Amino acid sequence: MTGFAFLLLLMAAILGYMLNRYAAQSVRAGGGRFHSLTGYHGMFSALLVLVPVLTIILAWLVLQGPLIDRMVMGGLPQGALQGLDTGGRQLVLAEIKSIAGGRVFGTPEDWKLAAADRLVALRETSGWLLVVVVAVLGLSIIAFARSRVSAGFRARQGVERIVSGLMIFCSTVAVFTTVGIILSLTFETYRFFQAVPVSEFLFGTNWEPQIPIRADQIAAEGAFGWLPVILGTMVITVVALVVAIPIGLLSAIYLNEFAPGRVRSVVKPVLEILAGVPTVVYGFFAILVVAPAIRSFGATIDIDVAPNTALAAGGVMGIMLIPFISSFADDALSAVPQAMRDGSLGLGATRGEMMTTVLFPAALPGIVGGILLAVSRAIGETMIVVMAAGLMARMTINPLDSVTTVTVQIVTLLIGDTSFDNPKTLAAFALGMMLFLVTLVINIFALRIVRKYREAYD
Amino acid sequence: MNDIRKIERDVNMANTKISARSVDVFYGETHAIRNVSVDIADRTVTAFIGPSGCGKSTFLRCLNRMNDTIETCRVTGDIELDGRDINARSVDAVQLRAQVGMVFQKPNPFPKSIYDNVAYGPKIHGMARNKAELDEIVEKALRRGAIWDEVKDRLHAPGTGLSGGQQQRLCIARAVATEPEVLLMDEPCSALDPIATAQVEELIDELRQDYAVVIVTHSMQQAARVSQKTAFFHLGDLVEYDDTDRIFTNPRDQRTESYITGRIG
């Protein structure tokens, strides 16, 4: 039925297009100046049908499920649901649905069979109703659009208004999604802070989110101080940047200014491939190659190295960030006008002097912006650290030690059997909120610098 | 051409600064300059004129090996500065460019302060031993660039904040600061208004006291006003090279006459 409704809509749109176009052509054939091209008259009708009717179909599809469920459950005989909690009701509903779908297990009670029949009938009715609504609405809109066709009618403006409305809608999708995410984070974080005091979370140096899930479980009282966790994130971020910034910048400088065309045409695509490697691949590279190598190297020079060091995770993350930083720096350097290069070389500067005295300072804001964006990526990076970093939170800045990160803790808190009213689970939202705030601040900072950079030339 | 301001034209032709012989320039497959030979006199303004794309800027850029910076560009032939081949292996292009300064079409001050712009060349060539000497060099260069009075109170303001004409004079001061022997100017006035153009032209005439100045220009009036020698380029060929007076009053080549009377170009 739904497919039929869509087909009907498509046909209505095409019909509207043809009708209006034909009408416009015949009006124009009668002479007189026409405001819009005939195609716009057609498009006007088609869009006028498509947009509202499609919205109605989609809304219908979203709403009909819960509505029918409710009607079916409400129509069950008295006492059928007695003594069942939410989960039990869901089970009954699922069973009715599977019976309606033709999958019958065992011998269900008669009232379940009746409810299944009712469900099928309701769905049928809903489908027909939808088709009727689409047909009536479509035809009346077509008729309305047809009545508007005249030499003076501004069909082009009408089409442009509808299209710009669509574009506005699309651009607000991202905004509303962001707002929704922030709201849910804020709400859950608030609930977490009802269980755990804010001061303990912000200033506590102990992170042991082990809380008994059931009353009879033996577990320690949890501790929720985020400092060791964010410290671990910082350590790994710093290690990553120490790897990524020099390599990324120097490769960008080389490629931008010194590399012959052939080298550049090979190295640049390779760097871009590096950017396309999935982070999970970096993750097992870190845990299977880099970490053992660091450990065995540590053993040869008598240094005690943890099996999953911050150095391994951060170093590999740094490699992941190299293409990011180098492409940003490359863009910033390329954006410096040729006139600056000529001016510098024309005064007898070497390429190196030109780079350090003119290009680099001029490109610096753009480069810094890129680095800050890389920082926020490093902080938010999850897969590599989940695989290669540790789970124990400790207050250490030794990169040879095992540390954990905010993202790792969020993952471990939410994995497995969790209930959503437990501080352990809610802690993940609080950590997510903090992570969001930290990266937000860094991003604002980065965008400001990038914007300032835009004003530097022109 | 009676309205052209006559400038005293005492040229000592015995004193050749740059001598180019059979110079050819290729951009990849394109043959941009064909067999050009020119002698450029010291303490003289030499103008290169010709229609767009005739190769005059390309040839100018050969004189301080700026074409080296373009990967696909190839230069053949001999160019001698004071009798020394500038394309020889023993000559460092970087040193050469300190000796043969260049001013570009569009004013291109660095996004640094006025002071740092002028001090740029002296700093990278280690011309000053201390701050006082550097200050002195900067002041001298700005005075030579005829812009000292306008900027002396704001030496540490950004050079990009000056007007177009001031920026171009700043760029000339910047080029002069490295004490070059030759000054190449690639259409230095094309981005300037008439008043700024007049100031820069006056400056060029003064610079002739100390340097060989080579100026590429689109404006024949400008060539006639500031130069003593003029070379006319057309489609990569050097058509005619002679005293400016003669080029503008009695050209030998038909094409030169067509160009200066406005029939080609």
Side-chain angles (χ1 to χ4, degrees):
Chain A
M1 256 333 90
T2 316
F4 189 58
F6 276 112
L7 194 69
L8 209 61
L9 170 63
L10 190 68
M11 276 162 34
I14 294 172
L15 179 70
Y17 181 84
M18 305 290 268
L19 264 180
N20 264 28
R21 207 183 129 100
Y22 181 73
Q25 271 166 348
S26 57
V27 172
R28 194 170 65 172
R33 278 182 64 83
F34 228 62
H35 174 269
S36 301
L37 295 173
T38 51
Y40 279 113
H41 284 277
M43 280 306 284
F44 177 71
S45 175
L47 284 173
L48 211 58
V49 173
L50 268 179
V51 175
V53 178
L54 191 62
T55 314
I56 285 175
I57 293 180
L58 292 179
W60 192 291
L61 292 180
V62 170
L63 295 178
Q64 79 166 5
L67 205 66
I68 291 177
D69 287 353
R70 185 165 290 212
M71 285 166 76
V72 169
M73 295 305 272
L76 290 180
Q78 285 286 318
L81 295 173
Q82 200 153 32
L84 288 175
D85 58 359
T86 325
R89 283 161 191 266
Q90 291 295 328
L91 267 173
V92 171
L93 184 61
E95 196 180 347
I96 292 171
K97 276 184 181 169
S98 72
I99 294 170
R103 294 182 302 276
V104 185
F105 303 103
T107 44
E109 295 92 331
D110 282 343
W111 58 267
K112 281 185 183 164
L113 288 173
D117 286 343
R118 205 171 129 71
L119 182 68
V120 173
L122 278 172
R123 279 185 182 162
E124 188 99 337
T125 318
S126 165
W128 277 114
L129 213 57
L130 176 61
V131 169
V132 171
V133 167
V134 167
V136 170
L137 207 61
L139 286 177
S140 48
I141 293 176
I142 288 173
F144 169 74
R146 170 68 187 79
S147 72
R148 301 300 303 272
V149 177
S150 68
F153 178 57
R154 306 185 162 205
R156 179 167 54 77
Q157 270 89 334
V159 170
E160 281 164 0
R161 261 202 303 279
I162 295 173
V163 171
S164 81
L166 281 177
M167 290 190 286
I168 290 171
F169 171 75
C170 290
S171 57
T172 50
V173 167
V175 174
F176 284 117
T177 314
T178 312
V179 170
I181 290 174
I182 294 173
L183 281 183
S184 80
L185 269 181
T186 314
F187 183 66
E188 302 295 340
T189 307
Y190 176 72
R191 283 178 60 194
F192 172 71
F193 285 137
Q194 281 180 328
V196 175
V198 180
S199 58
E200 187 198 323
F201 178 72
L202 285 182
F203 305 113
T205 57
N206 209 358
W207 178 264
E208 279 161 14
Q210 301 310 325
I211 271 198
I213 294 173
R214 297 183 305 276
D216 57 342
Q217 210 173 24
I218 301 164
E221 193 65 17
F224 294 94
W226 84 312
L227 284 181
V229 184
I230 188 73
L231 192 67
T233 293
M234 294 294 173
V235 170
I236 287 186
T237 303
V238 167
V239 172
L241 292 177
V242 164
V243 172
I245 291 177
I247 298 180
L249 284 190
L250 289 178
S251 68
I253 288 173
Y254 173 71
L255 288 178
N256 194 271
E257 200 48 47
F258 297 94
R262 265 179 303 134
V263 175
R264 188 181 156 88
S265 67
V266 173
V267 176
K268 250 205 129 179
V270 172
L271 264 178
E272 271 148 26
I273 289 172
L274 199 60
V277 175
T279 52
V280 66
V281 176
Y282 282 115
F284 57 71
F285 177 59
I287 197 164
L288 296 179
V289 180
V290 180
I294 292 174
R295 193 168 164 78
S296 65
F297 179 73
T300 58
I301 55 170
D302 269 341
I303 293 179
D304 193 26
V305 179
N308 41 12
T309 55
L311 191 60
V316 171
M317 195 192 285
I319 291 170
M320 179 195 83
L321 293 177
I322 287 172
F324 204 66
I325 289 183
S326 89
S327 78
F328 244 88
D330 193 34
D331 288 350
L333 288 171
S334 302
V336 179
Q338 181 64 31
M340 293 297 124
R341 296 159 202 263
D342 283 348
S344 176
L345 291 174
L347 286 169
T350 62
R351 280 177 188 272
E353 284 164 345
M354 171 184 72
M355 180 55 72
T356 52
T357 56
V358 175
L359 289 193
F360 201 75
L364 192 61
I367 292 171
V368 172
I371 290 174
L372 287 178
L373 288 178
V375 170
S376 56
R377 269 207 66 179
I379 291 176
E381 168 54 38
T382 309
M383 208 58 225
I384 295 176
V385 283
V386 164
M387 295 174 81
L391 286 174
M392 288 289 292
R394 14 181 132 148
M395 293 292 279
T396 176
I397 53 166
N398 179 4
L400 295 178
D401 237 333
S402 159
V403 298
T404 189
T405 72
V406 176
T407 49
V408 170
Q409 287 308 313
I410 292 177
V411 170
T412 50
L413 286 173
L414 290 180
I415 277 177
D417 221 1
T418 53
S419 68
F420 267 78
D421 46 4
N422 190 311
K424 183 186 165 199
T425 316
L426 292 173
F429 288 95
L431 283 181
M433 186 77 190
M434 297 311 284
L435 205 57
F436 175 75
L437 288 179
V438 169
T439 47
L440 181 72
V441 168
I442 292 172
N443 273 331
I444 290 174
F445 202 41
L447 283 177
R448 285 225 161 157
I449 286 174
V450 170
R451 193 167 305 150
K452 201 171 162 196
Y453 166 64
R454 277 203 198 118
E455 291 166 359
Y457 289 99
D458 285 339
Chain B
M1 297 260 154
N2 296 327
D3 58 331
I4 293 168
R5 176 161 46 101
K6 297 286 183 190
I7 288 170
E8 186 194 357
R9 302 184 198 278
D10 53 340
V11 180
N12 178 5
M13 278 312 295
N15 195 354
T16 299
K17 188 71 184 170
I18 295 178
S19 143
R21 289 288 170 271
S22 317
V23 174
D24 286 75
V25 180
F26 303 86
Y27 287 117
E29 294 296 304
T30 319
H31 199 164
I33 294 277
R34 274 191 293 267
N35 195 21
V36 169
S37 302
V38 157
D39 281 324
I40 289 163
D42 202 4
R43 293 168 205 273
T44 305
V45 178
T46 306
F48 291 172
I49 62 170
S52 293
C54 67
K56 51 197 192 304
S57 291
T58 300
F59 184 69
L60 188 77
R61 288 166 66 94
C62 292
L63 301 181
N64 67 344
R65 286 179 59 182
M66 274 303 274
N67 284 331
D68 288 14
T69 63
I70 300 167
E71 223 171 297
T72 56
C73 186
R74 199 159 52 83
V75 181
T76 63
D78 283 338
I79 301 174
E80 289 183 353
L81 173 69
D82 290 331
R84 207 160 51 104
D85 181 7
I86 66 165
N87 287 310
R89 268 178 191 283
S90 57
V91 175
D92 183 2
V94 165
Q95 295 297 317
L96 175 72
R97 290 183 202 133
Q99 236 177 325
V100 182
M102 189 155 193
V103 175
F104 296 86
Q105 180 170 2
K106 219 182 120 204
N108 59 347
F110 303 131
K112 302 173 185 288
S113 72
I114 293 168
Y115 182 94
D116 286 337
N117 261 287
V118 180
Y120 185 83
K123 267 189 196 159
I124 59 175
H125 297 298
M127 289 166 62
R129 271 168 310 190
N130 52 45
K131 180 83 169 71
E133 273 187 30
L134 192 61
D135 287 348
E136 202 176 305
I137 292 173
V138 169
E139 180 178 342
K140 203 174 124 201
L142 285 170
R143 282 188 192 283
R144 294 244 52 180
I147 193 178
W148 170 253
D149 290 333
E150 289 157 68
V151 300
K152 65 182 175 205
D153 301 323
R154 45 169 174 156
L155 287 176
H156 295 282
T160 43
L162 298 171
S163 74
Q166 288 174 324
Q167 286 189 10
Q168 194 61 300
R169 277 178 287 148
L170 175 64
C171 291
I172 293 172
R174 188 175 69 182
V176 167
T178 57
E179 292 176 12
E181 295 161 27
V182 180
L183 204 54
L184 309 178
M185 298 185 158
D186 189 355
E187 297 177 36
C189 300
S190 67
L192 304 184
D193 65 49
I195 295 171
T197 300
Q199 287 169 328
V200 171
E201 283 177 4
E202 208 169 302
L203 174 59
I204 290 169
D205 197 50
E206 277 169 35
L207 293 172
R208 182 164 67 92
Q209 310 303 321
D210 300 302
Y211 311 104
V213 178
V214 185
I215 175 171
V216 165
T217 177
H218 267 301
S219 151
M220 285 171 285
Q221 285 79 4
Q222 183 172 63
R225 281 194 299 263
V226 301
S227 72
Q228 288 78 51
K229 302 279 283 180
T230 296
F232 171 61
F233 287 80
H234 189 236
L235 302 176
D237 293 311
L238 175 62
V239 176
E240 193 166 347
Y241 177 50
D242 212 328
D243 288 346
T244 300
D245 279 339
R246 191 179 162 85
I247 290 270
F248 281 98
T249 52
N250 190 16
R252 269 172 302 196
D253 195 286
Q254 182 60 41
R255 286 172 291 177
T256 316
E257 194 186 343
S258 304
Y259 182 68
I260 60 172
T261 54
R263 259 176 284 149
I264 58 169

